[in-house]
Amino acid sequence: MSEERFGEFVRVRRHADGQVAELVLDRPKVMNAVSTEMARSLVGASAALGADRDVRVVVVTSTHERAFCVGADLKERNSFSDADLLRQRPATRGAYTGVLELPVPTIAAVHGFALGGGFELALSCDLIVADRTAVVGLPEVSVGVIPGGGGTQLLPRRVGAARAAELIFTARRVEAEEAASLGLVDVLVEAGQDREEALALATRIAGNSPVGLRAAKKALRLGQGLDLRAGLEVEDAAWRAVAFSGDRAEGVAAFNEKRRPSWPGE
């Protein structure tokens, strides 16, 4: 395993010959509250991971024992003028869109508090693995703002408009069992097992065609919200992008030769 730092508060670890990358939130003194500096580091780390063709899956994890991420650093913001807040916006927005726009499958490993921007980081991932200590929610209206990291758009896509409205308007916190039943998280595991299970899932996913994974994610994301006919056109375009690839040729050959494929990744 190799490790690279992006500023003081974000690390990237590479597992499985670099095929699985771990994007680590590492500001434990404040439960990974996202400051301006941390947001900029997330932007840089996401850009580096997105450009790395060896990476097939990204797992977002936390070094804090009791929190994934508690959202924006409100102590920092308490000192901001309106102009300061406006200047910060590109960095904070970029932190969330950086994770959202990663071209490979992404998994959030959540334990403890994942609130506000912390839950939005998880929602920006394709899958959320949570342990039984997880508490999630979008409480922004309780402090006079609204979700600004994609929550008003990502949550309805997960649980429907009415359920998202109830959760956002009430600003309530949702514990792990209910979160799983509502579809706020995808996999519920025992306490302390979120990172291990997420990495195991990532390793399983990473064994598949890197070209296929990227194309499948693109089709899934671009097809959201479209009518069926338009969605099928998106799928067809993604299929054409992989149908004549080296990965497709290798996958068919490996199947017929009854061996594991050695993906060229192109």
Side-chain angles (χ1 to χ4, degrees):
M1 181 177 69
S2 64
E3 184 171 295
E4 180 181 3
R5 275 207 170 271
F6 289 81
E8 186 178 355
F9 305 127
V10 175
R11 290 188 268 167
V12 169
R13 297 172 180 152
R14 285 177 169 79
H15 306 261
D17 298 324
Q19 295 176 2
V20 174
E22 189 178 352
L23 179 59
V24 186
L25 310 178
D26 187 27
R27 200 181 177 212
K29 290 183 179 179
V30 290
M31 293 187 171
N32 292 325
V34 180
S35 63
T36 307
E37 180 184 349
M38 185 175 178
R40 288 172 178 154
S41 295
L42 283 167
V43 171
S46 295
L49 289 169
D52 188 341
R53 298 294 297 185
D54 290 331
V55 173
R56 299 183 187 178
V57 188
V58 173
V59 181
V60 184
T61 67
S62 161
T63 60
H64 195 284
E65 293 181 355
R66 295 187 294 110
F68 175 72
C69 173
V70 293
D73 187 340
L74 296 184
K75 288 186 177 179
E76 179 188 54
R77 288 195 180 178
N78 193 46
S79 66
F80 279 7
S81 66
D82 289 351
D84 291 332
L85 187 59
L86 192 60
R87 278 192 294 269
Q88 186 202 41
R89 179 60 176 163
T92 54
R93 186 177 181 186
Y96 302 110
T97 57
V99 174
L100 180 65
E101 293 176 358
L102 282 167
V104 297
T106 52
I107 304 169
V110 173
H111 59 267
F113 297 114
L115 301 173
F119 189 38
E120 288 173 302
L121 280 174
L123 289 172
S124 296
C125 295
D126 300 299
L127 297 167
I128 302 174
V129 175
D131 81 359
R132 293 185 182 278
T133 70
V135 179
V136 305
L138 297 175
E140 284 87 347
V141 297
S142 69
V143 292
V145 291
I146 69 167
T152 65
Q153 304 305 304
L154 295 171
L155 189 58
R157 285 167 167 78
R158 224 175 213 283
V159 299
R163 179 65 68 192
E166 183 265 323
L167 293 168
I168 291 171
F169 294 164
T170 63
R172 71 184 180 95
R173 299 180 178 188
V174 183
E175 296 188 359
E177 293 280 354
E178 184 184 5
S181 70
L182 294 178
L184 297 174
V185 304
D186 302 299
V187 181
L188 185 62
V189 298
E190 295 304 315
Q193 296 299 305
D194 55 294
R195 177 176 177 269
E196 180 180 338
E197 291 292 335
L199 287 171
L201 178 58
T203 299
R204 180 179 177 183
I205 292 170
N208 295 314
S209 158
V211 172
L213 289 173
R214 287 172 178 255
K217 174 164 181 171
K218 187 173 183 179
L220 285 164
R221 286 289 177 92
L222 292 181
Q224 286 182 359
L226 300 179
D227 62 47
L228 179 58
R229 186 178 296 276
L232 290 172
E233 291 301 317
V234 168
E235 181 182 82
D236 186 66
W239 179 87
R240 290 174 185 277
V242 300
F244 309 104
S245 68
D247 274 14
R248 194 275 309 169
E250 169 61 11
V252 172
F255 176 84
N256 283 287
E257 295 166 14
K258 296 181 173 55
R259 59 173 175 81
R260 292 179 65 117
S262 179
W263 304 114
E266 56 185 23

